[in-house]
Amino acid sequence: MNFNLKNLPKREKKPRSKGITMVIDKGSSIQQCKNLIESSSEYFDVIKFGWTTSNFMNNLKKKIKLFKDADINVYFGGTLFEAFAIRSQIDDYISILKEYDLNLAEVSDGSISIPHKKKCEYIEKLSKHVTVFSEIGSKDEKKIIPPYKWIRQMKAELNAGSKKVIGEARESGSVGLFRSSGEVRQGLVEEILTEIPTEKIIWEAPLKAQQVWFVKLLGPNVNLGNISGNEVISLETIRVGLRGDTFNDFL
Amino acid sequence: MNFNLKNLPKREKKPRSKGITMVIDKGSSIQQCKNLIESSSEYFDVIKFGWTTSNFMNNLKKKIKLFKDADINVYFGGTLFEAFAIRSQIDDYISILKEYDLNLAEVSDGSISIPHKKKCEYIEKLSKHVTVFSEIGSKDEKKIIPPYKWIRQMKAELNAGSKKVIGEARESGSVGLFRSSGEVRQGLVEEILTEIPTEKIIWEAPLKAQQVWFVKLLGPNVNLGNISGNEVISLETIRVGLRGDTFNDFL
Amino acid sequence: MNFNLKNLPKREKKPRSKGITMVIDKGSSIQQCKNLIESSSEYFDVIKFGWTTSNFMNNLKKKIKLFKDADINVYFGGTLFEAFAIRSQIDDYISILKEYDLNLAEVSDGSISIPHKKKCEYIEKLSKHVTVFSEIGSKDEKKIIPPYKWIRQMKAELNAGSKKVIGEARESGSVGLFRSSGEVRQGLVEEILTEIPTEKIIWEAPLKAQQVWFVKLLGPNVNLGNISGNEVISLETIRVGLRGDTFNDFL
């Protein structure tokens, strides 16, 4: 930080296993990636090339290298995994992870319906090659998963080899953890936390009110995802009580 | 595309006369134009300098050349035409089209009220110099045009020389084809399609839900407009069933 | 402007004391600052590094110099002042203003509660070192300040040394001058204007509908703030009646 403000809450430094910020990219150019790295690289840990956008990106290898060189891990959105899975092309997907030199992948079932046992087998299979984050929650706002099932699935996926589980929100912040209005499913989150350690969870929280809600509940070092690149610094101010929304929470 | 996913729906390649994506720019710098071209030039066909923003852009000729060199056609928003028309400066407008080496122009009446016959005369006049796209629909959300009038006007404008007609939506996606909530006027669109070939229409659809709605109705190669530069790749994923919203529509 | 459109309303040129556009930046990279300057520098007068984002910006001195060299004044958001004030570090804050070669600062009480007399003392103190803009209005949507208090505070702050007073809106346009829906508190604005000259006020108006409302009420040369960098040219079109929303207001 540029200034010496006293009594700020302690924020984990990179490389960190908690307090992770995961950014979503949906098609930046090389220069835009450089912009993000220059302005914000110390404030985020992972970048996700959202859903299947990686399939359409020019200079994909160059983009991946840029982020890795800045100590930011890269993975492809879960929808890409699902697109390969539903076409029975999982081995092709594993080849791609190798070809693009990725060490992290997401397993999800936001758009496809598969038995949960099958999903766990995918996690087990992929985790032999890369670190796996797996995601719970449908992208379909009509498919509401009750809290006990979130918990059961999270446990099973962590057992199957997921390093962290992700709570779904989409880019719009309107499904999974949230109501269609964007409001947090508070009871769901609190029930999950009775059984799963918060360090194991990345909460997708694209909207500011959602970020504020999680920081108020879980403190500066909560793991948050689907953050827009131009909101990374804003999130950092929220985390340490330097934006109006959390200003009086850490004094 | 970077990956070999099987059984994707067929997407037209550039140069294409259907499946057009029209991007709206409202004041990008030269570097930002380069960013957009680098990341997305194969996924869009036309860029509109929205409403009268071209009047305020620095390096306007350089911007136009950048896009043309990348095989992207350029035109100025219809409001600029209207600003010249209402000041009786149409000949000045035609001079500007020449000065800036444009071969495409929009004729619209979103902000001015003119007899429809007069609008068609403008189309006829301009189409002697450039290709004309003409736009139907008011920017005033209180001016609701009934479906039979949309159809009558579209036919007359195509006859007068318009190459394509554009369905109005504004940058916000809240007028013309849409209700103030952004919801599609579904009956209007379906009635139009009984009489006007879809290839002749560019549907302005700035919001994701609107893009999804049109792709579900008319397939991957529907013409869509007023797409934000940073949503071009997202739209491409929606078109070919590689985003959650259309994932199960093209399997 | 690029084109010779007749009978446009008169717009003040830079350097100007009325018709000011204040942009909010929340963490741009150096290249992004260059983009904004290249595309729009003649259309904005001041840039605010919103709330405490300056604390987290890389190359902060370089950013400040870039804007100053383009004849754009720079200041840090009021929340940074408040973060120093609540920690009894005001002298540190004044040192920082010197270290970063700033000649403008904001005094506000959007997140802290202090007696208004104390706020005026801060204004007096800081105005010995720099030009002061002071801001009225809470960031907490539950704290509604009645119009007579806005007026009383504005007068006292101008007397204490503020060059201009700012009406609060946040980045989201949902507090202070506005209802949580973003709608203008019209009676409040009109009552303020009976007692405070409009040239002395910068109205924060991040949403387009808010900008339109103020331009319709107060003309092209109203002072507006919290404008997003990529909306500067759009605002300029609104100011001079060249966007649909104000097209018929200045003919």
Side-chain angles (χ1 to χ4, degrees), chain C residues 169-186:
Chain C
R170 301 208 70 173
E171 190 200 355
S172 56
S174 61
V175 298
L177 298 168
F178 304 98
R179 302 203 171 82
S180 56
S181 63
E183 196 194 347
V184 184
R185 291 177 63 193
Q186 187 166 345

Side-chain angles (χ1 to χ4, degrees), chain B residues 26-27 29-32 51-52 54-60 80 86-87 89 100 111-112 170-171, chain C residues 1-4 6 8 31 35 38-39 42-43 208 230-231 237 242-245 247-248 251:
Chain B
K26 52 186 187 179
S29 70
I30 292 294
Q31 179 62 49
Q32 288 169 317
W51 64 106
T52 63
S54 55
N55 191 31
F56 301 88
M57 287 178 181
N58 292 323
N59 303 310
L60 181 55
L80 187 68
I86 206 164
R87 288 169 174 82
Q89 291 184 263
Y100 286 89
S111 300
I112 58 176
R170 301 208 68 173
E171 189 199 354
Chain C
M1 297 192 224
N2 294 316
F3 315 134
N4 181 24
K6 292 174 184 165
L8 293 180
Q31 179 62 49
N35 292 345
E38 184 228 296
S39 63
E42 62 264 55
Y43 305 121
K208 191 191 74 165
N230 64 359
E231 297 289 344
T237 66
L242 288 175
R243 190 166 187 179
D245 313 81
F247 194 89
N248 295 293
L251 289 174

Side-chain angles (χ1 to χ4, degrees), chain A residues 26 52 54-55 58 87 170, chain B residues 2 6 38 231 242 245:
Chain A
K26 53 185 186 179
T52 62
S54 55
N55 190 33
N58 292 322
R87 288 169 175 80
R170 302 207 69 173
Chain B
N2 294 315
K6 291 174 185 165
E38 183 228 296
E231 297 288 345
L242 288 175
D245 314 82

Side-chain angles (χ1 to χ4, degrees), chain A residues 231-246:
Chain A
E231 297 288 344
V232 172
I233 287 181
S234 164
L235 173 57
E236 204 61 25
T237 67
I238 290 167
R239 285 182 181 280
V240 296
L242 288 175
R243 191 167 187 179
D245 313 82
T246 56

Side-chain angles (χ1 to χ4, degrees), chain A:
Chain A
M1 297 192 225
N2 294 316
F3 316 134
N4 181 24
L5 278 160
K6 292 175 184 164
N7 302 316
L8 292 180
K10 193 179 171 319
R11 176 78 174 102
E12 297 286 323
K13 294 272 176 286
K14 286 178 72 172
R16 59 198 150 208
S17 60
K18 61 179 182 171
I20 285 177
T21 292
M22 175 263 275
V23 166
I24 182 168
D25 177 301
K26 53 185 186 179
S28 303
S29 70
I30 293 292
Q31 179 61 50
Q32 288 169 317
C33 294
K34 288 180 182 169
N35 292 345
L36 179 61
I37 288 167
E38 184 227 296
S39 63
S40 309
S41 66
E42 62 265 54
Y43 304 121
F44 70 107
D45 310 85
V46 195
I47 193 157
K48 172 174 71 176
F49 295 165
W51 64 104
T52 62
T53 52
S54 55
N55 190 33
F56 300 87
M57 288 177 181
N58 292 322
N59 303 309
L60 181 56
K61 285 185 183 170
K62 199 170 167 189
K63 280 184 69 166
I64 292 169
K65 188 170 184 318
L66 269 176
F67 285 110
K68 287 184 144 190
D69 287 350
D71 293 320
I72 292 153
N73 216 334
V74 181
Y75 70 101
F76 295 161
T79 306
L80 186 69
F81 159 81
E82 296 177 45
F84 278 94
I86 206 163
R87 288 169 175 80
S88 306
Q89 290 184 264
I90 282 298
D91 290 334
D92 290 347
Y93 190 55
I94 291 170
S95 301
I96 282 168
L97 297 177
K98 281 178 194 158
E99 185 190 341
Y100 286 89
D101 200 21
L102 296 174
N103 51 25
L104 181 60
E106 182 181 332
V107 171
S108 60
D109 57 345
S111 299
I112 59 176
S113 287
I114 45 174
H116 195 252
K117 208 176 149 225
K118 180 78 183 159
K119 187 181 176 189
C120 288
E121 287 167 14
Y122 282 131
I123 292 168
E124 214 178 319
K125 182 162 185 171
L126 264 72
S127 65
K128 283 176 189 140
H129 303 276
V130 292
T131 298
V132 172
F133 288 174
S134 66
E135 188 180 65
I136 318 278
S138 173
K139 291 190 191 299
D140 182 344
E141 63 177 337
K142 281 161 222 137
K143 289 193 189 156
I144 307 291
I145 304 173
Y148 80 93
K149 266 203 180 168
W150 277 79
I151 293 167
R152 190 194 291 168
Q153 291 184 10
M154 283 177 157
K155 283 184 177 171
E157 295 180 19
L158 289 166
N159 279 336
S162 291
K163 192 173 173 199
K164 292 192 191 287
V165 285
I166 300 170
E168 168 71 84
R170 302 207 69 173
E171 190 200 355
S172 55
S174 62
V175 298
L177 298 168
F178 305 98
R179 302 204 171 82
S180 56
S181 63
E183 197 194 348
V184 185
R185 291 176 62 192
Q186 187 166 345
L188 170 64
V189 171
E190 289 178 2
E191 192 165 334
I192 288 171
L193 287 167
T194 63
E195 304 243 10
I196 312 286
T198 182
E199 296 79 17
K200 287 288 183 192
I201 309 173
I202 298 175
W203 310 94
E204 290 188 348
L207 304 184
K208 191 191 73 165
Q210 298 170 345
Q211 297 157 18
V212 167
W213 190 89
F214 278 106
V215 169
K216 278 177 184 277
L217 185 73
L218 295 168
N221 292 300
V222 58
N223 300 324
L224 294 174
N226 277 15
I227 308 302
S228 164
N230 64 359
E231 297 288 344
V232 172
I233 287 181
S234 164
L235 173 57
E236 204 61 25
T237 67
I238 290 167
R239 285 182 181 280
V240 296
L242 288 175
R243 191 167 187 179
D245 313 82
T246 56
F247 194 89
N248 294 294
D249 291 281
F250 302 111
L251 289 174

